[in-house]
């Protein structure tokens, strides 16, 4: 099987894998099972499937739709998806490289262009997923603050509380943020955002580009992508990325003070999906919002 054949017959990939007709090398990547496939013509692909059986309905379809939507903007490198099946996707392989200042500057400019390409609504026309959890993408005309509280904070707060990942006091603080969110956020039209842009979802390629992977793409607030880039230690050359971004499309004044608000969504996703290990980060972000 070569890439031309795979493009024409993507539905045959599972059979080739089952009968070991393609070289497959396991790699670590997120909550899915992942591997590097090497085709007969030497092309490498990155494949994802769900460990132990059928993937949750719509999980990979959401990634495919989001990746293609981001690629349509032509602003930032996003792997092309060649196989899009309910339980298996395969896409362009990104050969790892170094995170240099020049690549960071180009990525910052590209991210601004991506955001500026916009979205018709907050949310998206497809059901969303973020990590192992559903993401409510029901399209909304906003305002952003109400949409963010109702669709991005409160659902994951409830899951986190139900699984005991947050205390009653933690829940009360986040609920106060959601109730008073209009005081802290700045309203903007929906931007075309990655939606899960923590540092692990920005890959630095050997081609000198920053690549966006594992999107939870939707129409959202561009400050959300900017804020999550600094989570969990931050991406390399974050100052260069932000400087290049500001040169293209400056965020509204005081955006740095709103970083905890925008990070709160992804932190709540982590307590909802992975438990109380992220409780301290959720509480710190919520407290910072209320102090701002």
């Amino acid at each position: 099987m070569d890439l031309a054949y795979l493009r024409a017959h993507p539905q045959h990939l599972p059979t080739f894998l089952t009968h070991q007709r393609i070289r497959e090398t396991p790699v670590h990547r997120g909550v899915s099972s992942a591997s590097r496939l090497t085709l007969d013509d030497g092309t490498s692909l990155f494949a994802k499937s769900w460990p132990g059986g059928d993937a949750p309905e719509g999980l990979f379809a959401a990634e495919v739709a989001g990746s293609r939507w981001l690629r349509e903007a032509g602003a930032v490198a996003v792997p092309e998806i060649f196989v899009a099946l309910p339980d298996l996707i395969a896409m362009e392989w990104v050969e790892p490289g170094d995170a240099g200042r020049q690549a960071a500057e180009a990525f910052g400019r590209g991210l601004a262009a991506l955001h500026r390409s916009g979205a018709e609504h907050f949310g998206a026309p497809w059901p969303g997923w973020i990590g192992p959890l559903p993401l409510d993408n029901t399209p909304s005309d906003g305002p952003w603050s109400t949409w963010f509280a109702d669709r991005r904070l409160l659902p994951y707060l409830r899951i986190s509380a139900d699984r005991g990942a947050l205390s009653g006091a933690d829940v009360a603080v986040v609920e106060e943020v959601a109730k008073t969110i209009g005081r802290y956020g700045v309203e903007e039209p929906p931007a075309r955002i990655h939606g899960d842009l923590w540092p692990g979802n920005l890959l630095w390629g050997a081609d000198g580009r920053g690549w966006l992977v594992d999107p939870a793409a939707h129409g959202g607030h561009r400050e959300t992508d900017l804020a999550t880039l600094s989570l969990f230690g931050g991406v390399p050359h974050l100052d260069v990325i932000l400087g290049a971004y500001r040169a293209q499309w400056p965020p509204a004044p005081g955006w740095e003070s709103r970083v905890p608000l925008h990070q709160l969504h992804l932190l709540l996703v982590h307590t909802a999906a992975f438990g109380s290990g992220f409780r301290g980060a959720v509480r710190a972000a919520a407290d910072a919002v209320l102090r701002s």
Side-chain angles (χ1 to χ4, degrees):
M1 176 183 281
D2 58 17
L3 185 57
Y5 182 92
L6 185 65
R7 285 182 184 274
H9 307 283
Q11 72 278 10
H12 292 175
L13 181 58
T15 301
F16 276 77
L17 291 174
T18 299
H19 294 285
Q20 299 182 338
R21 296 284 303 277
I22 296 175
R23 194 171 92 193
E24 185 175 10
T25 307
V27 297
H28 177 72
R29 182 76 197 161
V31 298
S32 301
S33 296
S35 58
R36 180 176 185 171
L37 309 182
T38 304
L39 305 184
D40 291 340
D41 60 2
T43 301
S44 286
L45 303 178
F46 179 76
K48 294 171 68 172
S49 59
W50 192 253
D54 296 338
E57 184 176 356
L59 174 75
F60 289 137
E63 180 170 348
V64 170
S67 293
R68 289 174 173 168
W69 186 60
L70 296 177
R71 275 179 61 88
E72 284 174 6
V76 177
V78 180
E80 181 179 357
I81 294 180
F82 302 114
V83 176
L85 303 176
D87 298 315
L88 173 68
I89 57 176
M91 66 194 75
E92 193 174 355
W93 174 265
V94 178
E95 190 64 30
D98 295 328
R101 293 180 65 87
Q102 187 173 356
E105 185 176 347
F107 176 76
R109 292 194 301 268
L111 186 62
L114 175 68
H115 289 166
R116 207 162 205 167
S117 66
E120 290 188 17
H121 309 280
F122 295 108
W126 56 83
W129 285 81
I130 185 162
L133 298 174
L135 184 72
D136 185 353
N137 271 346
T138 304
S140 169
D141 292 327
W144 170 81
S145 55
T146 302
W147 170 85
F148 190 72
D150 291 346
R151 306 281 175 82
R152 294 299 183 260
L153 298 185
L154 293 177
Y156 303 100
L157 177 64
R158 287 191 284 268
I159 297 171
S160 300
D162 288 347
R163 71 173 299 178
L166 298 175
S167 70
D170 300 329
V171 171
V173 170
V174 177
E175 287 178 334
E176 182 65 16
V177 171
K179 184 171 69 174
T180 60
I181 190 169
R183 302 177 188 172
Y184 310 110
V186 169
E187 300 293 344
E188 287 191 357
R192 187 174 304 217
I193 71 170
H194 177 283
D196 188 13
L197 195 50
W198 69 285
N201 286 341
L202 172 56
L203 300 186
W204 300 100
D207 61 356
R209 293 189 289 174
W211 291 72
L212 294 180
V213 299
D214 292 349
H218 61 273
H221 202 303
R222 61 194 178 112
E223 290 180 6
T224 301
D225 273 356
L226 298 179
T228 51
L229 280 170
S230 63
L231 279 172
F232 313 131
V235 297
H237 304 298
L238 179 59
D239 58 333
V240 177
I241 293 172
L242 295 178
Y245 186 102
R246 284 193 297 266
Q248 298 298 309
W249 191 20
W255 82 270
E256 293 91 345
S257 68
R258 298 185 291 275
V259 164
L261 173 62
H262 289 274
Q263 289 181 342
L264 192 51
H265 162 57
L266 194 52
L267 293 172
L268 285 167
V269 168
H270 277 70
T271 51
F274 307 118
S276 60
F278 294 91
R279 175 193 167 200
V282 166
R283 183 59 184 270
D287 285 343
V289 173
L290 295 179
R291 288 195 305 267
S292 64

